[in-house]
Amino acid sequence: MGTSFGGLRVVHAANYALHKDAAAYFNCDLKFHQGLVQNGCLVYPFSVNDRARMLSFLCSRKHGAAAANRALVTTCRQMQPDALIIGHSQAVTRKTLEQIRDVVPRIRIGYWYVDPLWMQAETAHLHQRADLFDAICCTTGGDLLKQFARPGTPAAFIPNPVEQGVERLRAFETPQPSYDVTFIGRDKYAPERRATLERLQRELRDLKLGFFGCLGRPLVFGAEKDAILASSRIGLNLNRRNDVELYSSDRIAQLTGNGLLAAIETGAGFEELYAADEALFYDDIDALVVRIRELVSDASQLRELARASWLRAHRDYSAQKVAEYLLNLTFRRAEACEAPWSRHIHWHPADRSTRLQLTQRRSAA
């Protein structure tokens, strides 16, 4: 893409999870922060939920929400940023966004979201505020994303970002890994996921399996999680649904970015983001079991595939490039059309001329 945003002043209102004392340092909020900084922006971090706790006498996120909203308005008034980038932050109200546009009339507001889009209750806040954003970027594609496009607000897919300081491992270089296959995630309220893991545990019982947070085993965080990933070969990218276009949790970035070979079920279209020699694609559990056994018995091929996946993730889906894309789209810069995933931008019919101008400017460049 190559567009410089040096000197851009950005308020990043997200959930930095300061109260977790670095247990979740791999979260997407920190990755987007890093990506914005790497694009030359001055980024002022506004941790919405932590600010709410700080401003509540009982350290309550709920009871401090109103005060946190007022603090965000004050922050924007005092800094006069070029852009407000919001990550999730359901607590940021429509009224607050309207007030920010009043006190900083020239401001651009971009929004990123990495949770599933199929749960209506959880996405109601997006519908309530969508028309106040200059761009909405989500890690889901298709019709579920298209529904959020408004006049003046395109809704666009983004891949889960990989950040070189977070995903810093090269698991494919580990000579004697502790695990052939790893999964780190919960199976609570996910019966299909649990059934898959139980079957793999039965059919691959002779292999070294590392399952955490599921099948009655505790979840792992922080450096302990890194140590497990560093000593694993194949990582299962099991999502709660596989029939939603381009949806994955950020687990896919943690696997590919850290040098594991991600096992990805076909159906969501990830063949568009990773080539056949950059992932372990499978149609069903039988095929997955067969392919795992083949690769575990051929360590050289497994390492080659994992390395290719790692190279693709850091080259095309870095936090810097994802953040750059978000800024390009938010500011209507033609460079947004250069992203490998840029065909997944949904425009409202009222924005047909804007869409055409953007693509034409890119073609003429």
Side-chain angles (χ1 to χ4, degrees):
M1 298 178 198
T3 302
S4 171
F5 288 95
L8 199 75
R9 298 162 70 86
V10 175
V11 170
H12 185 214
N15 179 23
Y16 284 76
L18 302 179
H19 67 294
K20 292 186 178 180
D21 298 328
Y25 63 80
F26 50 83
N27 74 359
C28 285
D29 308 65
L30 290 168
K31 292 184 188 181
F32 275 98
H33 180 104
Q34 288 291 96
L36 292 166
V37 170
Q38 289 159 6
N39 276 287
C41 302
L42 168 63
V43 184
Y44 186 88
F46 190 96
S47 188
V48 179
N49 293 341
D50 291 307
R51 195 76 178 105
R53 294 184 185 93
M54 292 168 62
L55 293 170
S56 167
F57 179 74
L58 298 175
C59 295
S60 165
R61 188 177 81 180
K62 177 181 178 181
H63 292 101
N69 273 266
R70 292 192 294 270
L72 181 57
V73 176
T74 300
T75 297
C76 290
R77 184 178 65 248
Q78 296 187 150
M79 186 176 179
Q80 291 290 302
D82 302 292
L84 169 63
I85 300 298
I86 299 179
H88 286 234
S89 300
Q90 292 91 327
V92 177
T93 67
R94 181 179 180 87
K95 178 181 177 182
T96 293
L97 295 175
E98 292 171 339
Q99 289 175 337
I100 290 172
R101 287 203 176 276
D102 286 339
V103 300
V104 192
R106 61 180 175 78
I107 199 169
R108 291 282 189 158
I109 304 179
Y111 185 81
W112 62 263
Y113 191 77
V114 298
D115 278 351
L117 295 179
W118 58 78
M119 294 181 286
Q120 293 184 355
E122 282 74 11
T123 58
H125 65 91
L126 240 176
H127 284 289
Q128 294 162 6
R129 304 175 296 171
D131 61 300
L132 295 175
F133 301 128
D134 291 291
I136 294 173
C137 293
C138 305
T139 54
T140 298
D143 290 339
L144 285 176
L145 174 63
K146 185 178 181 180
Q147 65 179 316
F148 297 109
R150 300 288 188 277
T153 307
F157 167 77
I158 50 171
N160 284 281
V162 172
E163 208 291 307
Q164 60 185 349
V166 177
E167 281 83 27
R168 61 178 185 168
L169 305 173
R170 299 187 182 197
F172 53 85
E173 293 181 348
T174 302
Q176 298 293 330
S178 300
Y179 305 104
D180 297 311
V181 183
T182 295
F183 178 76
I184 301 175
R186 296 180 174 89
D187 59 0
K188 188 176 182 180
Y189 308 125
E192 291 184 3
R193 175 184 289 178
R194 185 179 181 88
T196 296
L197 293 168
E198 288 175 337
R199 183 173 171 188
L200 290 176
Q201 190 171 242
R202 289 194 306 270
E203 300 202 21
L204 299 173
R205 56 184 175 273
D206 55 314
L207 300 186
K208 296 176 289 186
L209 307 180
F211 295 162
F212 304 90
C214 50
L215 304 182
R217 302 181 181 95
L219 200 56
V220 291
F221 297 95
E224 182 182 4
K225 179 178 179 179
D226 273 356
I228 292 167
L229 293 174
S231 193
S232 302
R233 283 285 185 252
I234 298 171
L236 301 173
N237 189 55
L238 300 178
N239 293 306
R240 291 182 183 270
R241 285 182 61 176
N242 192 54
D243 59 344
V244 176
E245 185 175 356
L246 292 177
Y247 170 74
S248 174
S249 71
D250 65 339
R251 182 181 297 105
I252 191 170
Q254 295 172 27
L255 296 176
T256 60
N258 279 311
L260 287 78
L261 179 63
I264 305 171
E265 187 175 359
T266 57
F270 277 92
E271 297 88 340
E272 181 177 341
L273 300 184
Y274 290 92
D277 60 352
E278 295 172 339
L280 192 172
F281 289 111
Y282 64 95
D283 295 325
D284 53 39
I285 301 303
D286 289 334
L288 175 61
V289 169
V290 170
R291 190 65 177 132
I292 286 175
R293 289 196 174 280
E294 290 175 351
L295 289 172
V296 169
S297 65
D298 187 348
S300 178
Q301 183 188 14
L302 203 166
R303 283 194 296 269
E304 288 179 9
L305 295 175
R307 184 176 184 278
S309 174
W310 174 82
L311 286 170
R312 168 63 75 94
H314 282 274
R315 184 190 71 204
D316 290 346
Y317 314 129
S318 69
Q320 180 176 357
K321 290 192 174 182
V322 174
E324 184 181 27
Y325 175 78
L326 171 57
L327 291 172
N328 278 330
L329 191 59
T330 299
F331 282 90
R332 299 297 184 272
R333 297 192 179 186
E335 288 81 1
C337 299
E338 292 183 4
W341 59 86
S342 61
R343 77 177 187 88
H344 296 280
I345 303 176
H346 299 282
W347 298 88
H348 190 274
D351 291 332
R352 182 174 181 273
S353 61
T354 302
R355 175 177 61 83
L356 289 175
Q357 289 172 11
L358 200 68
T359 55
Q360 288 170 357
R361 288 206 311 270
R362 188 63 244 156
S363 298

